[in-house]
Amino acid sequence: MSTTTTGPRSRMPNPIPFVPEMAPLAVDQRIAAQHGDDLTSDELTGVASLLLLAGHETTANMLGLGTLALLWHPDQLAALREDPGLIEPAVEELLRRLSIVQSLPPRTTTTDVEVGGHHIPAGPLVICSIPAANRDPALIDDPETFDITRGTAGHIAFGHGAHHCLGAPLARMELRIALPAPLRRFPRLALADQVEFREFSLVYGVRTVRVTW
């Protein structure tokens, strides 16, 4: 698939075949066709990078980690196999427990505030830990227990308020569809070896998971 760009932004290659390796450039071209010179090349590159990171990296790593969490907890895996209707609360519990985005962007306090008994004056940068918030006993009883039946409403895996992730409904839909698929296809799916986790990455995830089926 290709599009044609005219006008001042026609400096970009045209036409562009849509292949994964060129996805950011294809996004750049399509947005440029709609917005012309309203966005600079740097801004378009930022949009494409955000789409790739937020729309692919997060969900892809969540699928790997979610499958791993279920393999590590055979009782929960068995419950999901027995009752596929548990996939919705299971996804919410996995989002809470795994929290693949570890922290929110730094915020600046605009006034003195007290959080959890700690005084924070106006002015400093504050970084919020999503895993810590999602394992707060004030949010859920026994937060270290993995229980796919409880659903865990109120977690902040997708952020909160004005900063809530715009792609949350899509991510939930993808997880509800994709997570059960290998469980149906490979009824004897099991871990075969040690797991390698990604290191020094913005998005928490696994590098290698070896399985048998």
Side-chain angles (χ1 to χ4, degrees):
M1 179 177 180
S2 63
T3 59
T4 301
T5 304
T6 60
R9 297 193 64 90
S10 60
R11 63 184 181 276
M12 294 185 299
N14 182 51
I16 299 174
F18 187 80
V19 293
E21 292 78 5
M22 299 180 69
L25 189 56
V27 171
D28 188 18
Q29 187 182 35
R30 292 174 181 179
I31 295 176
Q34 297 179 21
H35 296 281
D37 282 340
D38 292 343
L39 298 174
T40 67
S41 291
D42 286 345
E43 289 171 332
L44 288 169
T45 300
V47 170
S49 298
L50 177 62
L51 287 173
L52 182 61
L53 177 65
H56 170 72
E57 281 286 306
T58 49
T59 306
N61 282 284
M62 186 67 200
L63 288 170
L65 282 171
T67 302
L68 176 62
L70 290 169
L71 292 175
W72 269 346
H73 296 84
D75 59 327
Q76 301 300 298
L77 176 58
L80 185 57
R81 288 187 189 278
E82 183 177 343
D83 182 5
L86 286 175
I87 188 59
E88 290 194 17
V91 164
E92 298 306 315
E93 176 71 347
L94 286 165
L95 288 166
R96 176 199 73 84
R97 184 175 177 83
L98 299 175
S99 304
I100 61 170
V101 176
Q102 299 288 285
S103 64
L104 297 170
R107 310 293 183 193
T108 302
T109 53
T110 57
T111 185
D112 290 4
V113 64
E114 186 169 308
V115 178
H118 298 277
H119 177 74
I120 304 175
L125 289 177
V126 177
I127 298 178
C128 300
S129 170
I130 294 179
N134 281 341
R135 294 180 181 230
D136 187 342
L139 169 69
I140 190 170
D141 294 334
D142 196 12
E144 296 303 321
T145 296
F146 179 47
D147 181 0
I148 66 170
T149 66
R150 60 185 172 187
T152 320
H155 67 74
I156 62 165
F158 291 112
H160 180 69
H163 303 284
H164 189 268
C165 176
L166 292 174
L170 175 61
R172 284 186 165 102
M173 180 184 70
E174 291 172 331
L175 293 170
R176 290 167 185 168
I177 293 171
L179 268 174
L183 306 183
R184 292 192 301 267
R185 178 66 179 83
F186 305 107
R188 296 183 180 180
L189 190 67
L191 288 174
D193 204 345
Q194 292 185 338
V195 178
E196 285 185 57
F197 288 91
R198 299 175 66 180
E199 297 180 354
F200 309 110
S201 176
L202 178 63
V203 178
Y204 176 48
V206 290
R207 184 179 302 280
T208 304
V209 180
R210 295 179 176 86
V211 296
T212 61
W213 65 87

